[in-house]
Amino acid sequence: MASAIPEQRPVSIGEALRGLRHEAATYKGILSWIATVDHKRIGVMYGITAFIFFLIGGLEAMVIRIQLAQPNQSVVDPQQYNQIFTMHGTTMIFLVVMPMSAAFFNLMVPLMIGARDVAFPRLNAFSYWVFLLGALFLNFGWITGDIPDSGWFGYAPLSVQSLGHGMDFWMLGLQILGISSMAGGFNFIVTILNMRAPGMSLFRMPVFIWMTLVTSFLIILAMPVITIALFELGFDRFFAANFFNPENGGDPLLWQHLFWLFGHPEVYILILPAMGIVSEILPTFARKPLFGYPFVVFSGILIGFIGWGVWAHHMFTTGLGAPANAAFGVSTMIIAVPTGVKIFNWLGTLWGGSIHLATPLLFAVGMVAMFIIGGLSGVTHAVVPSDFQQQDTYYVVAHFHYVLFGGAIFGLFSGIYYWFSKFTGRMLSEGIGKVHFWLMLAGFNLTFFPHHMLGLLGMPRRIYSYPEGMGWDVYNMISTVGAFVIAASMLVFMFNFIRSIKRGRRASADPWDGRTLEWTIPSPPPPYNFATIPVVHARDEAWHRKYVEDDQGRIVRVPAGAEHDVESHEAAGAEGHHIHMPLPSIFPLIAAIGLPMIAFGLTYYQDTHGEWALPLIPAGVVVLLIGIFGWGLEPEAE
Amino acid sequence: MQHVTPAEHGMETSTGLDNRKLLMWLFLASECLFFGSLVATYLLYKGRSTTPPFPHDTTIAGVEYSGIYDIPFTSVSSFVLLMSSLTMVLALAALQRDNRRAAQVWILATALLGITFLAGQAFEFTEFYHEGLTVSSSVFGSTFFVLTGFHGTHVAVGVLILLSLFVMGLRGRLTSERSLNLELAGLYWHFVDVVWIVIFTFVYLIQ
């Protein structure tokens, strides 16, 4: 290890540049991606991985819908059905919406705050690799046949007693994913608080940055709670501990409390990034500043706080008693207020704007509309007697798909259409994009609106089949048809995406007449993002660089030549502008590999003939430590 | 304002707080939730055990059971851990005065105090095990071992960090300009100590 210690002496600019070129030349092709610490590349990897899992989770959903299309079907048996809905929920939440949001954090945060990278580039790479390996571990059961089967919420004691290794993969997979999320959360908080360009005070930050900040705080404070819950579950499963074992004084309800104490902040972790994206897109396409910026920001912060005091609304029927139910019912209604404030601000932003009805705006407006429907059914859940009726019915399924698919997924797609050109230098096809939007909107509502009726007609969740004559047949069939429409819309999207990467119209640096800093740099941005770190004078800095008020108070464009929006990056490069970028590193990946090794060891070592797995635990710890020490001792930049 | 790059040494941050220090504070904030959840679990299950041994003297159906805790012993090991915070402070103060030799001595002293605490915990765990308390014997066993074991793991990680810093010091890489490394280790170490005060109070002292 001694030889790995670098010389700690100041290096000249020339040496640094040579070093940089040398390092960059060391890693080419696939290795340059494996060793990358560039937030943009990491963001792209997050996005692609999350989208692949979106397709897998979507296929799982299709199996569910095919099975339920008609009464008394047996496409899958009950056990397989349990496995598929468990994996569908777990995948969509932990492997799709969270990492897709992380992709946007990675891609956009440094660009929007005027930074060259995140605060801890290698920690960022570590987050991605841990996420990827955790996701693969979670899905490993598809190979061995041990597939998680106790629901994405893993209620004890079912999750303790579940046979086989399915729930081990679930439990340890989520532990690994939690490490990834927390590492990302720390990184983005430090980046946002510490790496803002000069002049970008907190209240000049784009709303997306604010929502990333709130989400990151929720992540670092909520993930520990589920980590401990999973830790306790692990002790119950592996070492016959009694945390959730009523025979020995344990209480299965503790699992629900811990799970939902995490789980409710988690739903805001899922929706706030999408709300941030929409808050960027609506002003750009309405050509107006965001209406009531401070209200939107403070509402987001307030949601972050109140989100901690509503968890027991998932548990109204568990017998908490009337006072607790009433208190959590009221807190749940209160949290609807800041959410409503945001919706009115979005409507206020569109009101009177000169609207440019491009695809990103369609998805953003779709998000607002669908989220309102999901929000309203959410408020009905806050009414305790009403919730008693709806608990565990398809009405709940309708509600959370309207907020998570109608809300989060529509919001994330609007972000993809909005920022695609920034990273590819080409535009997604508007025409195909609109086909995608209308198909997805129609398919989504066809699929999930009937779930409201199904729930009110008493169809329970998580049943693998149902008899005839319940009045559920037609709604189920409509829902299944809708699922196929959504699937078709995804094919349209993928066609558009792949075609546009190759043959899309060339994009300028600022195709939408944007308002934030990312539109002041070339598309795609150079590795260092900003040749010169911008100095920020206003909220919507990029817009203020392009437009001024004339004598009559009319808004006019700054004449060409006078504007200083897109800087001459080639010139800056030619001057030998000394930009010190973080060096690529493979140690984050090495450290990450240690974690699934430990998890495999824990999963298998108690099996008959499982002796082979025991050494994996210390070996994984050693690999993790090698990664961490190598990481600590290598030079990080220059 | 001069345009400086993030990677450049001595970069001024927007808050003026060093990136790594801010990271450590955030990490400790999330640690509060880790320990908070475990302590909450312990308190929820306090007195719910149905099988002996029990933590404190208990009478069930006329049968008296003597408590398993050895408060004087644990008080001593708690004192050892708290003293390690003092040596930690002395180590940092010495390094900031560029008295590297003294810093090395105090770092090693802190690590040794930490190891002493861990040895005490290992002894305590073994004793309890011989009296029949295991992770699976009762809900008290589950909550006690997982909570104090989780804390002990934190102390062990702290010892590992301290020993790494000691080795860095031997190689002359721990200097007053790089005292932040030690300061961060100190923040973590003090946090782990403070958590022990909470655990000692709620788990051992309050009946």
Side-chain angles (χ1 to χ4, degrees), chain A residues 179-368:
Chain A
I179 293 170
S180 161
S181 304
M182 278 190 274
F186 295 133
N187 211 341
F188 285 105
I189 295 173
V190 177
T191 305
I192 291 169
L193 291 181
N194 260 359
M195 312 267 294
R196 282 167 283 137
M200 180 168 282
S201 56
L202 289 176
F203 281 88
R204 284 182 187 163
M205 295 198 310
V207 174
F208 177 68
I209 301 299
W210 265 110
M211 293 307 115
T212 306
L213 185 64
V214 175
T215 305
S216 300
F217 269 107
L218 287 176
I219 287 174
I220 69 160
L221 298 176
M223 295 310 289
V225 182
I226 194 180
T227 303
I228 293 301
L230 291 165
F231 205 60
E232 295 175 350
L233 178 64
F235 270 83
D236 274 15
R237 279 184 69 85
F238 294 142
F239 310 114
N242 303 300
F243 287 105
F244 308 117
N245 176 12
E247 285 167 32
N248 249 341
D251 186 352
L253 219 51
L254 173 66
W255 170 268
Q256 292 197 27
H257 279 292
L258 290 175
F259 186 83
W260 290 117
L261 187 53
F262 146 80
H264 211 81
E266 169 72 15
V267 307
Y268 296 107
I269 292 171
L270 300 172
I271 194 64
L272 287 177
M275 288 180 164
I277 291 171
V278 166
S279 303
E280 296 304 323
I281 290 173
L282 294 178
T284 302
F285 293 91
R287 307 187 50 71
K288 273 175 67 188
L290 185 70
F291 181 81
Y293 170 97
F295 286 91
V296 178
V297 170
F298 278 111
S299 296
I301 297 171
L302 208 58
I303 289 173
F305 276 102
I306 309 176
W308 287 90
V310 298
W311 79 89
H313 68 212
H314 297 269
M315 303 166 62
F316 282 151
T317 57
T318 58
L320 298 176
N325 283 354
F328 281 99
V330 168
S331 66
T332 305
M333 290 180 197
I334 288 173
I335 205 168
V337 174
T339 316
V341 166
K342 284 190 166 210
I343 287 167
F344 280 110
N345 279 290
W346 290 329
L347 298 181
T349 306
L350 291 174
W351 185 265
S354 45
I355 294 191
H356 174 204
L357 206 60
T359 320
L361 184 68
L362 286 177
F363 276 96
V365 172
M367 182 273 184
V368 176

Side-chain angles (χ1 to χ4, degrees), chain A residues 468-544:
Chain A
E468 284 172 67
M470 304 295 289
W472 303 339
D473 305 11
V474 176
Y475 293 124
N476 271 306
M477 182 49 89
I478 295 172
S479 178
T480 302
V481 170
F484 278 95
V485 178
I486 297 177
S489 78
M490 285 309 133
L491 294 177
V492 173
F493 168 73
M494 285 189 284
F495 171 74
N496 192 4
F497 194 91
I498 293 164
R499 181 185 162 278
S500 301
I501 283 180
K502 289 184 187 155
R503 291 191 283 133
R505 189 161 55 80
R506 291 266 175 207
S508 68
D510 182 16
W512 307 118
D513 201 7
R515 313 178 72 84
T516 35
L517 284 174
E518 75 271 25
W519 304 113
T520 64
I521 56 173
S523 305
Y528 46 81
N529 298 347
F530 297 89
T532 308
I533 296 293
V535 178
V536 176
H537 305 281
R539 198 182 288 160
D540 290 336
E541 172 71 14
W543 193 86
H544 283 279

Side-chain angles (χ1 to χ4, degrees), chain B residues 45-124:
Chain B
Y45 286 155
K46 210 172 170 70
R48 287 228 209 153
S49 270
T50 46
T51 28
F54 298 109
H56 307 284
D57 294 346
T58 317
T59 310
I60 293 176
V63 185
E64 283 186 25
Y65 299 94
S66 58
I68 198 169
Y69 285 153
D70 183 352
I71 300 293
F73 176 83
T74 315
S75 302
V76 171
S77 70
S78 303
F79 180 75
V80 167
L81 191 64
L82 292 187
M83 281 307 103
S84 75
S85 263
L86 177 65
T87 54
M88 187 76 228
V89 170
L90 290 171
L92 181 62
L95 188 65
Q96 283 169 344
R97 287 194 313 269
D98 210 18
N99 187 347
R100 291 197 222 170
R101 202 182 146 76
Q104 285 293 87
V105 170
W106 290 124
I107 290 172
L108 198 59
T110 312
L112 288 176
L113 288 170
I115 291 169
T116 311
F117 173 84
L118 286 173
Q121 197 173 39
F123 173 76
E124 185 188 47

Side-chain angles (χ1 to χ4, degrees), chain A residues 144-203:
Chain A
T144 64
D146 287 315
I147 304 161
D149 59 0
S150 307
W152 86 273
F153 37 82
Y155 275 0
L158 181 63
S159 50
V160 180
Q161 291 163 2
S162 165
L163 297 174
H165 289 304
M167 288 314 281
D168 298 336
F169 288 125
W170 181 83
M171 174 178 80
L172 295 168
L174 290 195
Q175 290 289 45
I176 297 174
L177 292 167
I179 293 170
S180 161
S181 304
M182 278 190 274
F186 295 133
N187 211 341
F188 285 105
I189 295 173
V190 177
T191 305
I192 291 169
L193 291 181
N194 260 359
M195 312 267 294
R196 282 167 283 137
M200 180 168 282
S201 56
L202 289 176
F203 281 88

Side-chain angles (χ1 to χ4, degrees), chain A residues 410-428:
Chain A
F410 270 76
L412 293 168
F413 269 112
S414 71
I416 293 173
Y417 278 92
Y418 185 49
W419 282 309
F420 179 85
S421 68
K422 184 46 56 188
F423 299 96
T424 58
R426 291 175 186 273
M427 304 294 287
L428 278 168

